[in-house]
Amino acid sequence: MLRHFPQINVAHSHRKRDYVIAAFTFFCVAICMTFEVSGSVGRQYALGVIALVSLIGFLLGENKEVRMQVVVAVAFTTIGEYVASVYMGGYTYRFENVPAYVPLGHGMVYLTSIALARSGLFIKHARTIATTVIVVCGAWSIWGISGFAEQGDSGGAVLFCAFLVCLFKGRTPLVYLAAFFITTWLELIGTAAGAWKWAAVDPVFGLSQGNPPSGVAVWYCLVDAVALGGGPLLNRGLKNASEWFNSRGYSPKRVGRFSVFSDLRGHAREAFQAQILFISQVIGTSLKKPDHVVEPLDKT
């Protein structure tokens, strides 16, 4: 059941960079929500620029695989935001839009999940962290369906069950565990500040959902699956595009396919040039020999 968890007592290293990324994101979430709720749409764009610069800065220190995964995650979550919020109304932002900082913020959240998942802290204490997450999120879900919560959360309980399946069956459980911490932090602060509000009824299944739902972290399991699958595809596509550009519009297959004809054409050109050179030498030699000079006709 725990085949994708790290082995017990394995060697692990603590990279300062991983903790810096996590601390930066947790801190910026709190600051961003404080500035966002008291500002205009223009301030949302300003926060979006800050998020863009921060994300690019951190991605410069990552390998190509992680960069491609984050790019795919940003694209996927951007589409998801417009579908889930603007079109379906599952949750609504203050100005009923998708703030500029949100898509890029998803990139920072996903990068933070990756950074924590590979950190020595999570690798060493994976099972303890998993137990903590299951107990805390499970208690949260039970509270949501107990009748004591101000807003029922049957949908959150369903999402929590899906999260458990992903945690024990998914390929990257540490990423899911890390996503629980950063998304819970993000959702609690964002909803408390009033930056967005979840609908009381889920628009898809008609289930009650909390503000926020208890199992909201499961959506990052989906984001991670799409990023892991789409990252290599994006990388391969960029590589093929680069080769196409360098070959002036010919893909490697097409270049290889017509290479034989190119060689034949080259050999033919060389043979033709050799023949021209030979003929010119013969003519030149003939003109230099007196016995080969053609005498004019005697008309007398």
Side-chain angles (χ1 to χ4, degrees), residues 69-70 72-74 76-77 110-111 113-114 117 166 170-177 179 217-232:
Q69 290 174 24
V70 172
V72 171
V74 170
F76 179 70
T77 53
Y110 183 60
L111 179 60
S113 300
I114 293 176
C166 294
R171 293 178 293 174
T172 53
L174 296 190
V175 173
Y176 310 152
L177 293 174
V218 74
W219 295 120
Y220 266 88
C221 300
L222 178 60
V223 171
D224 182 63
V226 173
L228 287 177

mmCIF file of all heavy atoms in Angstrom, residues 69-70 72-74 76-77 110-111 113-114 117 166 170-177 179 217-232:
data_model
loop_
_atom_site.group_PDB
_atom_site.id
_atom_site.type_symbol
_atom_site.label_atom_id
_atom_site.label_comp_id
_atom_site.label_asym_id
_atom_site.label_seq_id
_atom_site.Cartn_x
_atom_site.Cartn_y
_atom_site.Cartn_z
ATOM 1 N N GLN A 69 7.022 20.794 -15.865
ATOM 2 C CA GLN A 69 5.883 20.395 -15.039
ATOM 3 C C GLN A 69 5.152 21.620 -14.500
ATOM 4 O O GLN A 69 3.909 21.665 -14.488
ATOM 5 C CB GLN A 69 6.352 19.513 -13.889
ATOM 6 C CG GLN A 69 6.828 18.139 -14.306
ATOM 7 C CD GLN A 69 7.410 17.357 -13.146
ATOM 8 O OE1 GLN A 69 7.094 17.608 -11.997
ATOM 9 N NE2 GLN A 69 8.278 16.411 -13.453
ATOM 10 N N VAL A 70 5.897 22.607 -14.051
ATOM 11 C CA VAL A 70 5.272 23.813 -13.497
ATOM 12 C C VAL A 70 4.539 24.581 -14.591
ATOM 13 O O VAL A 70 3.433 25.094 -14.364
ATOM 14 C CB VAL A 70 6.333 24.702 -12.819
ATOM 15 C CG1 VAL A 70 5.722 26.048 -12.407
ATOM 16 C CG2 VAL A 70 6.906 24.003 -11.584
ATOM 17 N N VAL A 72 3.146 23.343 -17.284
ATOM 18 C CA VAL A 72 1.918 22.601 -17.562
ATOM 19 C C VAL A 72 0.909 22.811 -16.439
ATOM 20 O O VAL A 72 -0.297 22.984 -16.686
ATOM 21 C CB VAL A 72 2.222 21.101 -17.743
ATOM 22 C CG1 VAL A 72 0.936 20.287 -17.818
ATOM 23 C CG2 VAL A 72 3.058 20.875 -18.999
ATOM 24 N N ALA A 73 1.393 22.817 -15.190
ATOM 25 C CA ALA A 73 0.495 23.023 -14.046
ATOM 26 C C ALA A 73 -0.165 24.394 -14.106
ATOM 27 O O ALA A 73 -1.367 24.529 -13.827
ATOM 28 C CB ALA A 73 1.265 22.861 -12.740
ATOM 29 N N VAL A 74 0.594 25.418 -14.465
ATOM 30 C CA VAL A 74 0.033 26.768 -14.569
ATOM 31 C C VAL A 74 -1.037 26.820 -15.660
ATOM 32 O O VAL A 74 -2.121 27.385 -15.465
ATOM 33 C CB VAL A 74 1.141 27.798 -14.841
ATOM 34 C CG1 VAL A 74 0.546 29.157 -15.195
ATOM 35 C CG2 VAL A 74 2.049 27.938 -13.623
ATOM 36 N N PHE A 76 -2.813 24.315 -16.890
ATOM 37 C CA PHE A 76 -3.964 23.492 -16.516
ATOM 38 C C PHE A 76 -4.813 24.173 -15.452
ATOM 39 O O PHE A 76 -6.049 24.199 -15.543
ATOM 40 C CB PHE A 76 -3.479 22.134 -16.021
ATOM 41 C CG PHE A 76 -4.579 21.210 -15.584
ATOM 42 C CD1 PHE A 76 -5.448 20.656 -16.509
ATOM 43 C CD2 PHE A 76 -4.748 20.894 -14.242
ATOM 44 C CE1 PHE A 76 -6.471 19.807 -16.104
ATOM 45 C CE2 PHE A 76 -5.759 20.047 -13.835
ATOM 46 C CZ PHE A 76 -6.628 19.502 -14.773
ATOM 47 N N THR A 77 -4.185 24.727 -14.436
ATOM 48 C CA THR A 77 -4.940 25.379 -13.363
ATOM 49 C C THR A 77 -5.599 26.672 -13.839
ATOM 50 O O THR A 77 -6.655 27.059 -13.321
ATOM 51 C CB THR A 77 -4.031 25.689 -12.162
ATOM 52 O OG1 THR A 77 -2.876 26.429 -12.602
ATOM 53 C CG2 THR A 77 -3.570 24.411 -11.489
ATOM 54 N N TYR A 110 2.437 24.723 -6.572
ATOM 55 C CA TYR A 110 2.879 23.415 -7.071
ATOM 56 C C TYR A 110 4.387 23.249 -6.892
ATOM 57 O O TYR A 110 4.859 22.177 -6.498
ATOM 58 C CB TYR A 110 2.496 23.265 -8.534
ATOM 59 C CG TYR A 110 2.863 21.912 -9.106
ATOM 60 C CD1 TYR A 110 2.334 20.744 -8.566
ATOM 61 C CD2 TYR A 110 3.737 21.801 -10.171
ATOM 62 C CE1 TYR A 110 2.672 19.500 -9.078
ATOM 63 C CE2 TYR A 110 4.083 20.562 -10.693
ATOM 64 C CZ TYR A 110 3.542 19.420 -10.147
ATOM 65 O OH TYR A 110 3.887 18.180 -10.642
ATOM 66 N N LEU A 111 5.154 24.300 -7.168
ATOM 67 C CA LEU A 111 6.605 24.229 -6.968
ATOM 68 C C LEU A 111 6.925 24.008 -5.496
ATOM 69 O O LEU A 111 7.854 23.257 -5.155
ATOM 70 C CB LEU A 111 7.270 25.510 -7.475
ATOM 71 C CG LEU A 111 8.792 25.588 -7.316
ATOM 72 C CD1 LEU A 111 9.475 24.446 -8.067
ATOM 73 C CD2 LEU A 111 9.314 26.937 -7.805
ATOM 74 N N SER A 113 5.050 22.407 -3.365
ATOM 75 C CA SER A 113 4.732 21.008 -3.090
ATOM 76 C C SER A 113 5.867 20.094 -3.521
ATOM 77 O O SER A 113 6.232 19.151 -2.814
ATOM 78 C CB SER A 113 3.435 20.617 -3.803
ATOM 79 O OG SER A 113 2.356 21.411 -3.364
ATOM 80 N N ILE A 114 6.455 20.377 -4.675
ATOM 81 C CA ILE A 114 7.586 19.583 -5.167
ATOM 82 C C ILE A 114 8.785 19.750 -4.239
ATOM 83 O O ILE A 114 9.474 18.777 -3.894
ATOM 84 C CB ILE A 114 7.950 19.996 -6.606
ATOM 85 C CG1 ILE A 114 6.825 19.625 -7.569
ATOM 86 C CG2 ILE A 114 9.255 19.327 -7.045
ATOM 87 C CD1 ILE A 114 7.071 20.084 -8.997
ATOM 88 N N ALA A 117 8.251 17.956 -0.980
ATOM 89 C CA ALA A 117 8.228 16.509 -1.182
ATOM 90 C C ALA A 117 9.629 15.913 -1.307
ATOM 91 O O ALA A 117 9.863 14.772 -0.903
ATOM 92 C CB ALA A 117 7.413 16.170 -2.426
ATOM 93 N N CYS A 166 -5.641 8.688 -3.679
ATOM 94 C CA CYS A 166 -4.449 9.216 -4.350
ATOM 95 C C CYS A 166 -3.207 9.049 -3.487
ATOM 96 O O CYS A 166 -2.123 8.738 -3.987
ATOM 97 C CB CYS A 166 -4.654 10.692 -4.684
ATOM 98 S SG CYS A 166 -5.940 11.025 -5.910
ATOM 99 N N GLY A 170 -1.257 6.762 -5.559
ATOM 100 C CA GLY A 170 -0.597 7.660 -6.498
ATOM 101 C C GLY A 170 0.913 7.480 -6.533
ATOM 102 O O GLY A 170 1.514 6.883 -5.646
ATOM 103 N N ARG A 171 1.516 8.042 -7.585
ATOM 104 C CA ARG A 171 2.956 7.883 -7.788
ATOM 105 C C ARG A 171 3.803 8.808 -6.919
ATOM 106 O O ARG A 171 4.949 8.502 -6.620
ATOM 107 C CB ARG A 171 3.300 8.149 -9.259
ATOM 108 C CG ARG A 171 2.756 7.127 -10.239
ATOM 109 C CD ARG A 171 3.098 7.509 -11.663
ATOM 110 N NE ARG A 171 2.415 8.721 -12.072
ATOM 111 C CZ ARG A 171 2.629 9.335 -13.235
ATOM 112 N NH1 ARG A 171 3.530 8.862 -14.076
ATOM 113 N NH2 ARG A 171 1.950 10.423 -13.545
ATOM 114 N N THR A 172 3.235 9.958 -6.512
ATOM 115 C CA THR A 172 4.018 10.945 -5.761
ATOM 116 C C THR A 172 3.269 11.364 -4.491
ATOM 117 O O THR A 172 2.800 12.504 -4.381
ATOM 118 C CB THR A 172 4.298 12.179 -6.635
ATOM 119 O OG1 THR A 172 3.059 12.666 -7.170
ATOM 120 C CG2 THR A 172 5.241 11.833 -7.780
ATOM 121 N N PRO A 173 3.151 10.469 -3.522
ATOM 122 C CA PRO A 173 2.366 10.790 -2.315
ATOM 123 C C PRO A 173 2.937 11.943 -1.510
ATOM 124 O O PRO A 173 2.176 12.677 -0.864
ATOM 125 C CB PRO A 173 2.401 9.475 -1.515
ATOM 126 C CG PRO A 173 3.617 8.754 -2.005
ATOM 127 C CD PRO A 173 3.729 9.112 -3.456
ATOM 128 N N LEU A 174 4.250 12.135 -1.532
ATOM 129 C CA LEU A 174 4.822 13.235 -0.755
ATOM 130 C C LEU A 174 4.420 14.583 -1.329
ATOM 131 O O LEU A 174 4.275 15.567 -0.595
ATOM 132 C CB LEU A 174 6.353 13.109 -0.705
ATOM 133 C CG LEU A 174 6.906 11.876 0.009
ATOM 134 C CD1 LEU A 174 8.418 11.997 0.200
ATOM 135 C CD2 LEU A 174 6.225 11.670 1.354
ATOM 136 N N VAL A 175 4.247 14.650 -2.640
ATOM 137 C CA VAL A 175 3.752 15.886 -3.254
ATOM 138 C C VAL A 175 2.337 16.174 -2.784
ATOM 139 O O VAL A 175 1.979 17.319 -2.484
ATOM 140 C CB VAL A 175 3.805 15.785 -4.790
ATOM 141 C CG1 VAL A 175 3.140 17.000 -5.437
ATOM 142 C CG2 VAL A 175 5.243 15.671 -5.274
ATOM 143 N N TYR A 176 1.515 15.137 -2.672
ATOM 144 C CA TYR A 176 0.132 15.311 -2.208
ATOM 145 C C TYR A 176 0.099 15.771 -0.753
ATOM 146 O O TYR A 176 -0.720 16.621 -0.381
ATOM 147 C CB TYR A 176 -0.652 14.002 -2.351
ATOM 148 C CG TYR A 176 -0.546 13.351 -3.701
ATOM 149 C CD1 TYR A 176 -0.672 11.976 -3.843
ATOM 150 C CD2 TYR A 176 -0.301 14.111 -4.851
ATOM 151 C CE1 TYR A 176 -0.572 11.361 -5.080
ATOM 152 C CE2 TYR A 176 -0.195 13.498 -6.098
ATOM 153 C CZ TYR A 176 -0.331 12.130 -6.202
ATOM 154 O OH TYR A 176 -0.228 11.516 -7.426
ATOM 155 N N LEU A 177 0.979 15.191 0.059
ATOM 156 C CA LEU A 177 1.035 15.600 1.464
ATOM 157 C C LEU A 177 1.462 17.057 1.593
ATOM 158 O O LEU A 177 0.883 17.823 2.371
ATOM 159 C CB LEU A 177 2.012 14.703 2.230
ATOM 160 C CG LEU A 177 1.599 13.240 2.394
ATOM 161 C CD1 LEU A 177 2.732 12.445 3.037
ATOM 162 C CD2 LEU A 177 0.325 13.125 3.228
ATOM 163 N N ALA A 179 1.095 19.318 -0.680
ATOM 164 C CA ALA A 179 0.008 20.137 -1.223
ATOM 165 C C ALA A 179 -1.081 20.364 -0.181
ATOM 166 O O ALA A 179 -1.710 21.426 -0.152
ATOM 167 C CB ALA A 179 -0.578 19.465 -2.468
ATOM 168 N N ALA A 217 -7.393 19.666 -1.158
ATOM 169 C CA ALA A 217 -6.040 19.334 -1.616
ATOM 170 C C ALA A 217 -6.033 18.270 -2.703
ATOM 171 O O ALA A 217 -5.039 18.120 -3.420
ATOM 172 C CB ALA A 217 -5.184 18.871 -0.436
ATOM 173 N N VAL A 218 -7.133 17.530 -2.856
ATOM 174 C CA VAL A 218 -7.163 16.467 -3.855
ATOM 175 C C VAL A 218 -7.014 17.029 -5.266
ATOM 176 O O VAL A 218 -6.539 16.332 -6.170
ATOM 177 C CB VAL A 218 -8.471 15.648 -3.739
ATOM 178 C CG1 VAL A 218 -9.655 16.441 -4.278
ATOM 179 C CG2 VAL A 218 -8.346 14.324 -4.499
ATOM 180 N N TRP A 219 -7.416 18.277 -5.468
ATOM 181 C CA TRP A 219 -7.300 18.850 -6.805
ATOM 182 C C TRP A 219 -5.854 18.972 -7.237
ATOM 183 O O TRP A 219 -5.543 18.914 -8.427
ATOM 184 C CB TRP A 219 -7.992 20.213 -6.858
ATOM 185 C CG TRP A 219 -9.471 20.129 -6.644
ATOM 186 C CD1 TRP A 219 -10.198 20.724 -5.657
ATOM 187 C CD2 TRP A 219 -10.418 19.383 -7.421
ATOM 188 N NE1 TRP A 219 -11.531 20.410 -5.766
ATOM 189 C CE2 TRP A 219 -11.701 19.584 -6.841
ATOM 190 C CE3 TRP A 219 -10.310 18.574 -8.552
ATOM 191 C CZ2 TRP A 219 -12.848 19.003 -7.358
ATOM 192 C CZ3 TRP A 219 -11.464 17.989 -9.060
ATOM 193 C CH2 TRP A 219 -12.712 18.209 -8.476
ATOM 194 N N TYR A 220 -4.939 19.106 -6.267
ATOM 195 C CA TYR A 220 -3.526 19.161 -6.636
ATOM 196 C C TYR A 220 -2.977 17.780 -6.953
ATOM 197 O O TYR A 220 -1.924 17.661 -7.576
ATOM 198 C CB TYR A 220 -2.698 19.856 -5.554
ATOM 199 C CG TYR A 220 -2.534 21.320 -5.859
ATOM 200 C CD1 TYR A 220 -3.478 22.239 -5.433
ATOM 201 C CD2 TYR A 220 -1.469 21.774 -6.620
ATOM 202 C CE1 TYR A 220 -3.367 23.580 -5.743
ATOM 203 C CE2 TYR A 220 -1.334 23.110 -6.934
ATOM 204 C CZ TYR A 220 -2.289 24.012 -6.500
ATOM 205 O OH TYR A 220 -2.171 25.340 -6.829
ATOM 206 N N CYS A 221 -3.666 16.746 -6.535
ATOM 207 C CA CYS A 221 -3.295 15.404 -7.002
ATOM 208 C C CYS A 221 -3.550 15.313 -8.498
ATOM 209 O O CYS A 221 -2.758 14.735 -9.247
ATOM 210 C CB CYS A 221 -4.106 14.337 -6.262
ATOM 211 S SG CYS A 221 -3.863 14.334 -4.473
ATOM 212 N N LEU A 222 -4.668 15.894 -8.940
ATOM 213 C CA LEU A 222 -4.980 15.928 -10.362
ATOM 214 C C LEU A 222 -3.994 16.816 -11.108
ATOM 215 O O LEU A 222 -3.516 16.460 -12.198
ATOM 216 C CB LEU A 222 -6.410 16.435 -10.567
ATOM 217 C CG LEU A 222 -6.884 16.588 -12.016
ATOM 218 C CD1 LEU A 222 -6.821 15.255 -12.747
ATOM 219 C CD2 LEU A 222 -8.288 17.171 -12.052
ATOM 220 N N VAL A 223 -3.679 17.966 -10.538
ATOM 221 C CA VAL A 223 -2.707 18.867 -11.166
ATOM 222 C C VAL A 223 -1.364 18.172 -11.329
ATOM 223 O O VAL A 223 -0.714 18.270 -12.386
ATOM 224 C CB VAL A 223 -2.549 20.147 -10.322
ATOM 225 C CG1 VAL A 223 -1.395 20.996 -10.839
ATOM 226 C CG2 VAL A 223 -3.840 20.960 -10.335
ATOM 227 N N ASP A 224 -0.948 17.450 -10.304
ATOM 228 C CA ASP A 224 0.335 16.751 -10.369
ATOM 229 C C ASP A 224 0.317 15.663 -11.442
ATOM 230 O O ASP A 224 1.299 15.487 -12.170
ATOM 231 C CB ASP A 224 0.654 16.134 -9.002
ATOM 232 C CG ASP A 224 2.004 15.431 -8.987
ATOM 233 O OD1 ASP A 224 3.031 16.111 -9.175
ATOM 234 O OD2 ASP A 224 2.030 14.201 -8.806
ATOM 235 N N ALA A 225 -0.783 14.941 -11.551
ATOM 236 C CA ALA A 225 -0.884 13.894 -12.570
ATOM 237 C C ALA A 225 -0.777 14.489 -13.968
ATOM 238 O O ALA A 225 -0.077 13.950 -14.843
ATOM 239 C CB ALA A 225 -2.193 13.128 -12.408
ATOM 240 N N VAL A 226 -1.471 15.603 -14.193
ATOM 241 C CA VAL A 226 -1.408 16.261 -15.503
ATOM 242 C C VAL A 226 -0.010 16.805 -15.768
ATOM 243 O O VAL A 226 0.521 16.691 -16.885
ATOM 244 C CB VAL A 226 -2.451 17.397 -15.576
ATOM 245 C CG1 VAL A 226 -2.290 18.201 -16.862
ATOM 246 C CG2 VAL A 226 -3.858 16.826 -15.487
ATOM 247 N N ALA A 227 0.623 17.384 -14.749
ATOM 248 C CA ALA A 227 1.961 17.947 -14.922
ATOM 249 C C ALA A 227 2.997 16.858 -15.201
ATOM 250 O O ALA A 227 3.878 17.036 -16.054
ATOM 251 C CB ALA A 227 2.361 18.740 -13.676
ATOM 252 N N LEU A 228 2.901 15.730 -14.496
ATOM 253 C CA LEU A 228 3.848 14.638 -14.716
ATOM 254 C C LEU A 228 3.694 14.050 -16.114
ATOM 255 O O LEU A 228 4.675 13.637 -16.732
ATOM 256 C CB LEU A 228 3.647 13.544 -13.669
ATOM 257 C CG LEU A 228 4.111 13.851 -12.247
ATOM 258 C CD1 LEU A 228 3.771 12.699 -11.309
ATOM 259 C CD2 LEU A 228 5.613 14.123 -12.214
ATOM 260 N N GLY A 229 2.453 13.995 -16.599
ATOM 261 C CA GLY A 229 2.237 13.464 -17.933
ATOM 262 C C GLY A 229 2.499 14.475 -19.035
ATOM 263 O O GLY A 229 3.026 14.135 -20.102
ATOM 264 N N GLY A 230 2.146 15.733 -18.777
ATOM 265 C CA GLY A 230 2.296 16.754 -19.799
ATOM 266 C C GLY A 230 3.672 17.369 -19.877
ATOM 267 O O GLY A 230 4.064 17.882 -20.933
ATOM 268 N N GLY A 231 4.437 17.333 -18.776
ATOM 269 C CA GLY A 231 5.780 17.919 -18.783
ATOM 270 C C GLY A 231 6.684 17.317 -19.845
ATOM 271 O O GLY A 231 7.269 18.045 -20.657
ATOM 272 N N PRO A 232 6.836 15.980 -19.888
ATOM 273 C CA PRO A 232 7.679 15.369 -20.934
ATOM 274 C C PRO A 232 7.170 15.656 -22.344
ATOM 275 O O PRO A 232 7.965 15.828 -23.272
ATOM 276 C CB PRO A 232 7.611 13.874 -20.608
ATOM 277 C CG PRO A 232 7.296 13.816 -19.151
ATOM 278 C CD PRO A 232 6.392 14.990 -18.903
#
